[in-house]
Amino acid sequence: MKFMKLGSKPDAFQADGKCIRYVTSDLATDVTINIGQVKFYLHKKNIAIITISWELCMQNFVKFPLLSKSNRMQKLVLKASEEKCDEINMVDFPGGPKSFEICAKFCYGMIVTLNAYNIVAARCAAEYLEMTEDVDRGNLIFKIEVFLNSSIFRSWKDSIIVLQTTKSLLPSSENLKIVGRCIDSIASTTSVDPANITWSYTYNRKLSAQDEIVDNGMKFREKIESVPKDWWVEDICELDIDLYKRVMTAVKSKGRMDGAVIGEALKTYAIRWLPDSVDALVSDVHSWRNKLLVETIVCLLPSDKGVGCSCSFLLKLLKVAILVGLDDSAKEDLVKRISLKLHEAFVKDLLIPARSPQTTLYDVEMVQSIVNQYMMHEKRSQDLNVEKNKMGCTDFILGHGSLLSVGKLIDGYLEEIACDPNLSVASFIDLSQSIPEFARPVHDGLYKAIAMYLKEHPSLMKAEKKKMCGLMDVKKFTMDASMHAAQNERLPLRVVVQVLFFEQVRAGAGVGSLNNNPLDTSHSTTNTDEEWEKTAAEDCNSLKKQMSQIKIKEDGFQKKGKLSKKNSKSSKSGMKLLPSRSRRIFDKLWVMGKGHAENRSPETSGSSQSPTLMVPGNATKSSGSYSRHGRHSIS
């Protein structure tokens, strides 16, 4: 810390209790100056008996340092003498008794030390006492200004300390432009090339993963850049919110600071000052302050909405904004920023607590709004690029990996909120359909969400279940999802049969032929129950016998994409692959469709059924009823 010593005489100020200060001297004190609750007993020339001109009085005052260096003291002493009063009251003295004592010691020529903690108070006090060069050469104001400009404003931490002290000395510190000069000094220093920084700064944050490497199984820290770009972030976190806002505004106005660094600064400040608990956030004592803090951070977010702050931080900021009752415009700004980086979010980030009058646990409407904004942005991006408009679906997915991430994110979010007893079917379906089909190439996540919803809402009507399951495409299930769905007693019967059928198709003909299969599960829920039951009764005999002959080696199928060579040798062992509920379904359907099945070709029921029967050319033989109902693939 920089400091400056003034004067050469020993300190002769003494204290008598907390409220009395005096100077030890052979001369008796003859004036009392009241600064707040403290009385200063000092010396002056007794001018009560002098009846000469003002000019002559001033000549006599020159013998007394207290009066010779302060134009205001001269006026106050003269006024007190005219009123025959030995006490002078200065209730509005800036900096209080401590700053007055500094000025008094300077007038007496005693040693006084100025530093970042008391320099502003001394400067404001000297201004109040009018200790200018017009009164005495080399006066206190001149010396303080030299110290400020040559040392304080050139020191990083001293500038921050000085800026903090200005708050208690407003408006004097503002009028003297000390606040503005401090802010400009700090903002300019943050823009210095890190390679040229030699002064002390605070940096206690965790190192990022890129700062660590692994070599021969031994983890060690890579040599860190001597000074990181965000070296200044933690030091200014100690500033009050109003001063912090002014500093960050100045930093941004310089135009030399990267948006990511500004985002890191805002995140660090929010972590430093925002409480962790919800109760503390909304408490009456701090609610106004927390609201002001969030408003300020939102206002200071980088102008480029696509960079700067992480999506997780923005979502946390949105949660706090909702809790503290931030205005709609600020929340809308956050929603727009979040939507641009939604693909970076995690499910837990989207779990925004709902507020009254909402009845759900989480604010599903807010998430729906974020997703809608994201899709609007994606559409605008696509429309602006003519070449992308000409691309096919596959190329579009390859060029928009973020859409796949958002698809997984929404499925995970649906699974989390499915446990909410107050979540309506309409809200679930709307959020599920808010992303395009190609953003969800695998439907395992969607199936998990629907299965959880059916479990937590057992009183759903048949039509509602039908709508829910209509969101899924069983052709896009993985093996694990298919096996789970086949045993899920909460799913409608038609969905289970579809799952089993397509697993048989995949096992017998391979995944490639599935894409060309004329069956379309998306249309299966549109048929009447009577039509579907006729279809199921006609076809499930053959389906049951074919499934009983095929045993899939799961690991081998996932690695090589083909059937294991170790097939079951009997229909009895093959039937063990089917879960108990599926066997009951097939047994029931076998009885219902027995008459039809007896008249079918032996090619469809033999134990040596060939997988070629399931290719598109022959699909009409074994599943003609499905084809007659106009099913086609949309995958």
Side-chain angles (χ1 to χ4, degrees):
M1 179 184 293
K2 305 290 185 181
F3 65 92
M4 178 176 70
K5 280 192 175 183
L6 300 174
S8 57
K9 296 178 183 179
D11 187 353
F13 267 76
Q14 300 294 322
D16 185 2
K18 294 182 179 180
C19 299
I20 296 176
R21 299 285 287 163
Y22 63 93
V23 178
T24 55
S25 173
D26 295 335
L27 265 171
T29 59
D30 54 6
V31 64
T32 303
I33 300 175
N34 297 321
I35 307 294
Q37 300 297 320
V38 180
K39 292 180 180 291
F40 287 86
Y41 292 95
L42 304 175
H43 299 88
K44 73 170 181 67
K45 183 175 179 62
N46 188 351
I47 61 171
I49 59 173
I50 298 179
T51 57
I52 54 180
S53 65
W54 169 256
E55 288 77 9
L56 184 56
C57 290
M58 291 303 101
Q59 293 175 11
N60 291 328
F61 289 158
V62 172
K63 299 177 184 178
F64 299 88
L66 183 62
L67 304 180
S68 66
K69 294 183 181 296
S70 170
N71 191 39
R72 191 181 186 96
M73 283 298 300
Q74 293 174 12
K75 297 174 184 176
L76 291 173
V77 168
L78 180 60
K79 182 179 179 181
S81 298
E82 290 174 350
E83 296 174 355
K84 297 181 181 181
C85 178
D86 290 335
E87 288 196 11
I88 298 172
N89 295 311
M90 287 188 273
V91 293
D92 58 344
F93 195 86
K98 290 184 178 180
S99 61
F100 178 80
E101 186 173 330
I102 291 173
C103 295
K105 287 180 179 179
F106 175 79
C107 292
Y108 276 93
M110 299 175 187
I111 295 175
V112 59
T113 302
L114 296 178
N115 54 43
Y117 289 100
N118 62 15
I119 189 70
V120 178
R123 176 65 180 87
C124 293
E127 187 71 22
Y128 183 89
L129 293 173
E130 300 176 13
M131 302 175 73
T132 63
E133 292 296 287
D134 295 338
V135 180
D136 187 42
R137 189 174 180 182
N139 215 340
L140 186 55
I141 290 178
F142 172 77
K143 291 183 180 297
I144 290 177
E145 285 295 329
V146 171
F147 181 53
L148 284 171
N149 294 324
S150 63
S151 297
I152 295 295
F153 294 148
R154 294 187 179 185
S155 170
W156 166 248
K157 287 198 171 180
D158 285 350
S159 296
I160 296 174
I161 293 170
V162 167
L163 184 58
Q164 286 176 300
T165 63
T166 59
K167 186 160 182 134
S168 62
L169 292 161
L170 295 172
S172 299
S173 57
E174 192 74 69
N175 295 335
L176 294 173
K177 298 187 170 99
I178 297 176
V179 178
R181 286 186 287 170
C182 275
I183 290 172
D184 187 65
S185 171
I186 294 169
S188 298
T189 307
T190 61
S191 302
V192 172
D193 186 348
N196 297 329
I197 294 175
T198 57
W199 51 84
S200 173
Y201 60 88
T202 305
Y203 198 87
N204 294 320
R205 279 164 295 148
K206 240 181 175 181
L207 292 173
S208 60
Q210 63 185 5
D211 293 326
E212 298 180 356
I213 59 174
V214 178
D215 182 53
N216 297 326
M218 299 288 292
K219 182 179 283 190
F220 64 96
R221 186 169 296 169
E222 195 179 34
K223 184 177 179 181
I224 310 167
E225 182 185 6
S226 56
V227 180
K229 290 182 179 180
D230 57 348
W231 62 268
W232 51 273
V233 165
E234 288 180 60
D235 286 326
I236 66 170
C237 278
E238 298 307 314
L239 296 172
D240 289 338
I241 187 63
D242 52 345
L243 291 175
Y244 181 83
K245 180 179 180 180
R246 292 179 64 177
V247 169
M248 289 302 298
T249 301
V251 169
K252 292 173 67 177
S253 67
K254 298 286 183 183
R256 297 193 291 268
M257 190 59 62
D258 185 74
V261 179
I262 292 176
E264 180 65 20
L266 297 176
K267 177 182 176 181
T268 306
Y269 191 81
I271 292 172
R272 170 68 177 82
W273 292 106
L274 282 175
D276 295 329
S277 68
V278 175
D279 293 337
L281 275 171
V282 299
S283 66
D284 295 336
V285 180
H286 301 294
S287 60
W288 180 85
R289 176 184 170 278
N290 293 333
K291 183 177 180 181
L292 176 62
L293 196 152
V294 176
E295 284 178 345
T296 302
I297 293 177
V298 173
C299 174
L300 292 172
L301 289 172
S303 55
D304 186 351
K305 297 182 180 180
V307 298
C309 302
S310 67
C311 189
S312 292
F313 170 64
L314 293 174
L315 280 163
K316 289 176 183 176
L317 205 58
L318 179 60
K319 292 177 186 178
V320 177
I322 294 172
L323 287 172
V324 299
L326 212 62
D327 59 88
D328 292 340
S329 61
K331 288 188 286 190
E332 288 174 5
D333 182 46
L334 280 174
V335 168
K336 289 179 181 178
R337 293 175 181 273
I338 292 168
S339 66
L340 295 173
K341 304 169 78 76
L342 185 59
H343 57 282
E344 299 177 4
F346 297 97
V347 172
K348 63 179 181 180
D349 298 327
L350 291 177
L351 299 178
I352 304 170
R355 302 286 285 175
S356 180
Q358 293 174 323
T359 58
T360 54
L361 293 175
Y362 301 108
D363 195 338
V364 182
E365 293 179 5
M366 182 65 71
V367 175
Q368 180 76 64
S369 176
I370 293 171
V371 176
N372 291 342
Q373 289 276 357
Y374 172 82
M375 292 310 304
M376 287 173 59
H377 173 71
E378 286 295 317
K379 187 177 184 303
R380 284 195 298 267
S381 298
Q382 183 186 10
D383 292 342
L384 290 174
N385 194 326
V386 179
E387 293 182 0
K388 287 183 180 179
N389 284 333
K390 297 179 181 179
M391 287 182 180
C393 181
T394 303
D395 292 336
F396 184 76
I397 292 178
L398 292 175
H400 291 75
S402 63
L403 277 169
L404 301 180
S405 299
V406 171
K408 291 181 181 179
L409 176 69
I410 297 305
D411 287 348
Y413 179 75
L414 287 170
E415 184 179 359
E416 285 290 333
I417 65 174
C419 301
D420 188 350
N422 295 323
L423 180 66
S424 66
V425 173
S427 296
F428 186 99
I429 293 176
D430 288 344
L431 185 56
S432 172
Q433 294 178 334
S434 60
I435 57 174
E437 275 297 316
F438 52 79
R440 192 183 276 130
V442 177
H443 277 210
D444 284 24
L446 181 59
Y447 165 70
K448 289 179 181 179
I450 292 174
M452 180 62 69
Y453 192 90
L454 295 178
K455 178 182 177 181
E456 298 297 328
H457 299 76
S459 60
L460 281 182
M461 302 293 291
K462 186 175 181 181
E464 291 175 323
K465 286 186 178 182
K466 190 175 179 181
K467 285 183 180 179
M468 294 285 290
C469 294
L471 298 171
M472 300 184 298
D473 185 350
V474 299
K475 292 181 295 182
K476 295 182 179 181
F477 283 3
T478 62
M479 182 69 67
D480 290 339
S482 295
M483 294 303 294
H484 188 280
Q487 302 175 70
N488 193 340
E489 297 183 357
R490 299 180 182 88
L491 293 178
L493 183 62
R494 70 175 67 217
V495 176
V496 176
V497 173
Q498 289 166 1
V499 169
L500 293 171
F501 178 81
F502 281 109
E503 275 309 305
Q504 185 206 21
V505 171
R506 179 155 56 183
V511 179
S513 64
L514 185 59
N515 293 331
N516 297 321
N517 197 288
L519 297 176
D520 183 2
T521 61
S522 65
H523 288 183
S524 63
T525 58
T526 62
N527 298 333
T528 64
D529 290 341
E530 292 77 12
E531 291 174 333
W532 182 83
E533 287 181 6
K534 287 181 181 180
T535 301
E538 184 178 340
D539 296 321
C540 279
N541 179 31
S542 176
L543 181 61
K544 174 184 174 183
K545 290 187 176 182
Q546 291 177 36
M547 287 293 291
S548 69
Q549 300 299 317
I550 300 172
K551 182 177 181 180
I552 301 172
K553 186 178 180 182
E554 185 174 347
D555 293 339
F557 177 77
Q558 291 177 346
K559 293 178 180 179
K560 301 178 183 179
K562 61 183 180 180
L563 291 175
S564 170
K565 295 180 180 180
K566 298 179 180 181
N567 292 327
S568 176
K569 294 183 179 181
S570 67
S571 61
K572 182 178 180 181
S573 62
M575 280 294 290
K576 292 180 181 178
L577 293 175
L578 293 175
S580 59
R581 185 200 177 204
S582 301
R583 289 200 301 271
R584 291 198 304 271
I585 292 172
F586 280 121
D587 289 341
K588 181 178 179 181
L589 294 175
W590 166 256
V591 174
M592 293 171 58
K594 188 173 182 181
H596 275 303
E598 290 175 351
N599 296 326
R600 295 177 65 103
S601 170
E603 292 180 308
T604 64
S605 58
S607 60
S608 60
Q609 173 68 40
S610 171
T612 57
L613 290 175
M614 303 310 300
V615 299
N618 297 326
T620 55
K621 295 181 180 180
S622 61
S623 56
S625 297
Y626 286 83
S627 300
R628 284 195 297 272
H629 289 295
R631 304 177 186 276
H632 58 278
S633 174
I634 60 170
S635 62

